[in-house]
Amino acid sequence: MSAIRAALATRLKTIPVLTVHTQVPDNIHPPAAVIMPGFEGEPCVRFDSTMARGSDEFLFTVSVYVQASDDTSSQVELDAYLEGSGSRSIKQVLETDASLGGTADFVRVREARNYGPTEWGGSGGTRYVGVDFGIEITA
């Protein structure tokens, strides 16, 4: 799992100005992406997704946060990460190298959820606008 998480980070770091965290940090400096195992209550790993130890399926959440400066500019900035293509497209950046540098057989950005305002650091934390991407990897 660590190698896959590192490979995800390597791909995400190709997005200009995006700070990428492979572990949940105390603080973030947007625009930022945080990579976490699991997605929306689903298992982190499904073992033996193909016959007899052929491969496992890994699920990750990549949460992207931008500064909540004003309603329009924050959402325009976040929308660039949701595009199907382009220099900031999470989907394009991850799926362009479907092997994640040789650590995987397949990668798919399957969905985005929870678009909207959020806080980092608990109640009273800094406000951001964010979205969670569900990433499915077979390795």
Side-chain angles (χ1 to χ4, degrees):
M1 180 167 292
S2 294
I4 293 172
R5 191 187 311 212
L8 284 170
T10 297
R11 293 297 307 147
L12 290 169
K13 287 177 183 177
T14 66
I15 298 176
V17 307
L18 185 66
T19 303
V20 179
H21 301 276
T22 58
Q23 307 291 327
V24 177
D26 289 334
N27 298 297
I28 59 172
H29 303 285
V34 180
I35 302 167
M36 298 169 281
F39 184 69
E40 295 285 324
E42 293 185 58
C44 309
V45 182
R46 289 188 178 114
F47 295 105
D48 306 322
S49 63
T50 59
M51 298 185 279
R53 296 300 307 134
S55 62
D56 298 325
E57 182 180 284
F58 298 85
L59 295 174
F60 284 89
T61 299
V62 173
S63 297
V64 175
Y65 303 95
V66 299
Q67 192 67 47
S69 51
D70 66 64
D71 291 345
T72 302
S73 63
S74 297
Q75 291 180 52
V76 167
E77 183 179 3
L78 190 60
D79 288 352
Y81 298 101
L82 286 157
E83 295 291 338
S85 62
S87 63
R88 291 188 182 193
S89 167
I90 298 295
K91 182 171 181 61
Q92 179 175 314
V93 164
L94 293 179
E95 292 181 0
T96 295
D97 178 6
S99 74
L100 293 175
T103 61
D105 299 320
F106 174 80
V107 63
R108 180 172 74 108
V109 179
R110 68 181 209 190
E111 61 193 270
R113 292 185 181 185
N114 304 320
Y115 184 107
T118 189
E119 290 184 357
W120 191 268
S123 180
T126 306
R127 290 187 52 80
Y128 300 102
V129 179
V131 64
D132 298 329
F133 291 90
I135 315 299
E136 179 180 325
I137 299 163
T138 303

